């Protein structure tokens, strides 16, 4: 790792490649694991100041006034550009230079077209940012059979190019970028929210959008430094020297539960052709962990990766030229998405917890929700519906995300268990086999992080009929309390499906007669039903 160039390092998840950055991340991860319930007493970033900002001493010192300030630019530039295109005055505060990483993001064209629909990306831009295209895509579990699909995560796009396009578009629409600026504090007044930067500059706005990611200091304050409920650890590399390089793996398991460090883990793979060369390939190994003392470090997982990857891909490390090493920690909480805890402050992207607790696909989640969020935020700012209650309607309870928690729990190795070591592979194979039998309307939404009531009920029913012998192991693996909690979310998934299908068509014609604030609130509820039931997804 020390011999690999790290000139392309940037901020954000997966943006660092150096050994020293790996050590720093492992130190952070060790602190999370060793904590009992609270990682550390969080810094107080946001404070509430009753009264008017216009009457305060800071009012004359403010550098500029905006409708919205977005903190964090890697994913924040997308919502910032969308809001700019709707006529709002928007600024981005980014602690680094605003640019994307060298390592490609994998996504489908269908998901990218959501950015076109919002109006911030042109369809011809898709060709410009696409470095690799490949099909088909494999799902398989340790010799139990394989399932092949088309057009799932089958584009490798260049984040550096995409964010450059967004940045140019944002500025052309009148957006302002403060690069190399660290957020110091946020003060919420009755009529504005004030951002104090570390260099002493003061910015005021109507709304702050926190897009600073999984380790947002604002989220730490809101959650009071609480330990994450689950974590996905990811290690991998982009290397040159692979022979067969035209297909991808969406999820693949090449082994049963194994010991890494002082813990046991179930490892999974993703693999994608890279656009940097015909024999370049990116392979990721990931595992789900309940953060506890003794959990494996990223460096230990990386050592395991080098050993297992050679058998998995049928190559020798001696024949590969490593371009970069990849690693990341993706924490998640059961009570997500995160409601607004303050007036005039809203979490967005990974900071909001809107992404799936199984895939942690922040960019894919962003594309699906950007349309509703940009419209909702524009309405909230225009109508001054910026109290915590109205902002929380933009990050509502979504039962399809909550039901996904069972999948993460089922895919996490238990440290002390009488469950067979191949149970996780057996369970996943049974589920994927059932989804394949039920066809694309069931399989494809799930592979793109959309859980729907009908497809989920059919899949679980078919698994119970075809593989009844694995039911006792399911109870042993996830535990009765988790299953009981999940049953409530599953029932709500069905209820939201009913509301979106039958109640929404009755309510929507009456919205025009409502007051602006009531109309705003009911539109958000209708969206919560639709997105919370996964009915926004279309084949």
């Amino acid at each position: 790792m020390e011999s690999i160039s790290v000139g392309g390092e940037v901020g954000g998840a997966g943006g660092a490649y150096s050994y020293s950055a790996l050590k720093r991340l492992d130190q952070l991860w060790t602190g999370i694991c060793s904590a009992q319930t609270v990682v550390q007493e969080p810094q107080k970033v946001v404070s509430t100041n009753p009264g008017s900002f216009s009457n305060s001493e800071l009012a004359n010192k403010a550098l500029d006034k905006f409708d919205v300030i977005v903190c964090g630019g890697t994913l924040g530039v997308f919502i910032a550009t969308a809001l700019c295109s709707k006529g709002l005055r928007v600024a981005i505060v980014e602690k680094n230079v605003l640019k994307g990483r060298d390592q490609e993001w994998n996504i489908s064209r269908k998901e990218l077209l959501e950015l076109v629909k919002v109006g911030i990306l042109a369809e011809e831009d898709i060709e410009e940012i696409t470095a690799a295209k490949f099909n088909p895509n494999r799902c398989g579990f340790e010799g139990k059979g394989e399932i092949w699909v088309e057009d799932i995560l089958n584009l490798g796009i260049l984040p550096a190019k995409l964010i450059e396009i967004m940045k140019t578009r944002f500025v052309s629409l009148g957006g302002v970028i403060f690069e190399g600026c660290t957020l110091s504090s946020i003060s919420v007044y009755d009529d504005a929210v004030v951002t104090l930067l570390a260099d002493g500059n003061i910015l005021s706005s109507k709304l702050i959008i926190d897009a600073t990611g999984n380790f947002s200091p604002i989220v730490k304050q809101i959650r009071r430094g609480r330990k994450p409920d689950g974590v996905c650890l990811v290690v991998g590399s982009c290397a040159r020297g692979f022979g067969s390089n035209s297909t991808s793996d969406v999820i693949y398991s090449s082994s049963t539960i194994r010991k890494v460090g002082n813990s046991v883990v179930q490892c999974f793979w993703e693999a994608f052709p890279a656009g940097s060369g015909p024999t370049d390939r990116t392979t990721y190994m990931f595992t789900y962990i309940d953060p506890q003392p003794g959990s494996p470090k990223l460096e230990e997982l990386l050592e395991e990766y080098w050993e297992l990857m050679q058998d998995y891909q049928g190559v020798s490390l001696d024949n590969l030229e490593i371009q970069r090493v990849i690693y990341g920690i993706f924490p998640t909480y059961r009570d997500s998405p995160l409601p607004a805890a303050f007036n005039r402050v809203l979490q967005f992207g990974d900071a909001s917890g809107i992404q799936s607790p199984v895939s942690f696909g922040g960019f894919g989640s962003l594309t699906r929700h950007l349309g509703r969020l940009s419209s909702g935020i524009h309405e909230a700012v225009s109508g001054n519906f910026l109290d915590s209650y109205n902002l929380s309607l933009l990050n509502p309870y979504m039962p399809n995300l909550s039901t996904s928690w069972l999948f993460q729990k089922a895919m996490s190795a238990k440290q002390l268990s009488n469950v067979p070591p191949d149970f996780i592979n057996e369970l996943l194979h049974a589920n994927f086999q059932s989804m394949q039998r039920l066809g694309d309307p069931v399989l494809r939404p799930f592979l793109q992080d959309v859980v729907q009531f009908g497809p989920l009920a059919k899949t679980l029913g078919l698994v119970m009929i075809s593989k009844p012998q694995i039911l006792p192991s399911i109870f042993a693996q996830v535990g009765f309390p988790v299953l009981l909690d999940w049953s409530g979310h599953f029932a709500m998934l069905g209820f939201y499906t009913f509301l979106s299908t039958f109640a929404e068509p009755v309510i929507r014609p009456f919205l025009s007669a409502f007051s602006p604030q009531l109309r705003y609130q009911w539109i958000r509820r209708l969206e919560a039903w639709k997105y919370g039931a996964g009915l926004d997804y279309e084949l």
Side-chain angles (χ1 to χ4, degrees):
M1 289 182 68
E2 290 175 340
S3 66
I4 298 170
S5 171
V6 292
E9 282 195 325
V10 296
Y17 313 125
S18 67
Y19 185 54
S20 59
L22 173 67
K23 285 288 192 182
R24 290 195 299 271
L25 196 56
D26 253 340
Q27 190 174 11
L28 172 66
W29 169 233
T30 300
I32 292 173
C33 291
S34 60
Q36 294 301 311
T37 55
V38 176
V39 177
Q40 62 183 18
E41 190 62 32
Q43 175 190 1
K44 189 177 181 181
V45 180
V46 182
S47 60
T48 301
N49 298 279
S52 171
F53 169 65
S54 56
N55 296 330
S56 70
E57 294 180 2
L58 291 175
N60 294 326
K61 299 179 181 178
L63 186 66
D64 213 339
K65 296 180 180 180
F66 298 91
D67 292 316
V68 179
I69 292 175
V70 179
C71 296
T74 305
L75 293 184
V77 69
F78 294 94
I79 187 68
T81 306
L83 294 175
C84 251
S85 71
K86 294 179 181 295
L88 297 182
R89 186 148 196 267
V90 185
I92 295 173
V93 175
E94 168 58 47
K95 68 177 181 180
N96 302 300
V97 175
L98 179 51
K99 63 178 184 178
R101 70 184 196 184
D102 290 335
Q103 183 58 42
E104 292 159 21
W105 287 338
N106 293 100
I107 198 166
S108 69
R109 182 180 177 86
K110 179 181 185 297
E111 291 166 302
L112 276 181
L113 286 173
E114 294 295 327
L115 301 181
V116 177
K117 191 184 299 184
V118 172
I120 62 172
L121 190 72
E123 197 159 351
E124 54 267 27
D125 291 334
I126 294 178
E127 293 303 317
E128 186 179 350
I129 65 174
T130 301
K133 300 178 183 179
F134 38 86
N135 266 317
N137 328 112
R138 178 174 68 162
C139 307
F141 306 98
E142 205 218 354
K144 299 181 184 298
E146 298 172 349
I147 293 169
W148 292 87
V149 293
E150 297 272 342
D151 300 330
I152 301 293
L153 301 178
N154 68 307
L155 299 183
I157 66 166
L158 299 168
K161 189 64 182 175
L162 175 59
I163 291 178
E164 179 189 334
I165 290 172
M166 284 297 108
K167 186 176 179 180
T168 302
R169 198 148 292 163
F170 174 68
V171 172
S172 72
L173 290 167
V176 180
I177 302 174
F178 296 90
E179 292 181 313
C181 294
T182 304
L183 175 69
S184 179
S185 65
I186 293 171
S187 298
V188 181
Y189 291 84
D190 292 344
D191 57 349
V193 57
V194 178
T195 305
L196 177 63
L197 305 180
D199 61 7
N201 282 324
I202 298 171
L203 307 174
S204 73
S205 61
K206 297 176 182 177
L207 175 70
I208 289 281
I209 295 179
D210 173 19
T212 53
N214 289 307
F215 296 100
S216 158
I218 303 173
V219 172
K220 286 182 182 178
Q221 179 182 343
I222 294 171
R223 296 195 182 276
R224 299 180 179 179
R226 200 182 93 216
K227 193 173 181 176
D229 296 313
V231 170
C232 181
L233 300 181
V234 181
V235 295
S237 69
C238 180
R240 179 164 296 164
F242 291 88
S244 178
N245 197 28
S246 60
T247 65
S248 70
D249 286 347
V250 176
I251 180 170
Y252 192 85
S253 172
S254 62
S255 62
T256 58
I257 291 172
R258 57 195 301 114
K259 189 170 184 179
V260 177
N262 297 318
S263 184
V264 294
V265 297
Q266 174 66 62
C267 294
F268 301 98
W269 296 95
E270 282 187 316
F272 306 101
S276 50
T279 65
D280 294 4
R281 192 167 180 82
T282 302
T283 52
Y284 300 96
M285 188 177 81
F286 61 97
T287 186
Y288 301 103
I289 296 285
D290 292 331
Q292 300 294 338
S295 293
K297 295 181 179 180
L298 282 169
E299 189 168 356
E300 292 172 330
L301 202 63
L302 195 54
E303 292 293 343
E304 195 75 7
Y305 163 85
W306 296 122
E307 179 182 335
L308 294 178
M309 189 266 284
Q310 299 177 84
D311 289 334
Y312 161 56
Q313 287 290 302
V315 295
S316 169
L317 282 180
D318 296 335
N319 297 328
L320 295 179
E321 178 187 344
I322 308 300
Q323 308 294 305
R324 66 186 68 89
V325 179
I326 308 156
Y327 44 84
I329 296 173
F330 299 91
T332 191
Y333 296 84
R334 295 181 70 88
D335 53 342
S336 293
L338 183 65
F342 306 99
N343 296 340
R344 300 184 180 275
V345 180
L346 177 70
Q347 273 61 49
F348 172 80
D350 291 349
S352 73
I354 200 73
Q355 70 275 22
S356 164
V358 176
S359 76
F360 293 84
F363 182 57
S365 173
L366 178 147
T367 64
R368 287 191 293 278
H369 291 276
L370 188 62
R372 76 169 182 87
L373 285 171
S374 58
S375 295
I377 292 170
H378 178 251
E379 286 183 47
V381 172
S382 301
N384 198 31
F385 313 135
L386 298 172
D387 58 281
S388 60
Y389 172 78
N390 279 300
L391 290 178
S392 290
L393 296 176
L394 293 162
N395 284 338
Y397 164 69
M398 292 192 174
N400 57 352
L401 282 183
S402 297
T403 55
S404 296
W405 266 98
L406 181 72
F407 309 144
Q408 188 199 102
K409 199 72 177 175
M411 295 166 72
S412 304
K414 295 186 72 172
Q415 303 309 308
L416 298 173
S417 175
N418 57 357
V419 174
D422 68 339
F423 164 73
I424 295 175
N425 286 326
E426 183 66 33
L427 176 63
L428 289 172
H429 174 65
N431 274 278
F432 273 76
Q433 195 176 45
S434 296
M435 286 189 290
Q436 185 185 41
R437 286 175 60 185
L438 292 166
D440 279 355
V442 172
L443 180 61
R444 295 189 71 82
F446 183 82
L447 289 175
Q448 293 188 287
D449 277 344
V450 179
V451 176
Q452 299 172 325
F453 179 76
L456 181 57
K458 291 176 184 177
T459 301
L460 296 178
L462 187 55
V463 169
M464 286 189 284
I465 292 170
S466 60
K467 295 277 187 179
Q469 67 272 21
I470 67 173
L471 294 179
S473 293
I474 293 176
F475 278 87
Q477 171 74 8
V478 302
F480 183 74
V482 172
L483 281 171
L484 187 63
D485 178 66
W486 176 84
S487 298
H489 295 302
F490 180 66
M492 289 301 294
L493 179 62
F495 184 51
Y496 271 42
T497 302
F498 171 81
L499 289 173
S500 186
T501 304
F502 298 106
E504 178 183 353
V506 175
I507 295 170
R508 190 167 287 278
F510 295 97
L511 292 180
S512 58
F514 293 175
S515 67
Q517 183 166 345
L518 194 60
R519 183 165 59 250
Y520 164 85
Q521 293 173 348
W522 270 102
I523 290 173
R524 305 290 83 78
R525 291 187 184 104
L526 299 184
E527 288 173 345
W529 297 346
K530 182 178 181 179
Y531 282 79
L535 297 180
D536 57 295
Y537 181 88
E538 298 176 359
L539 278 176

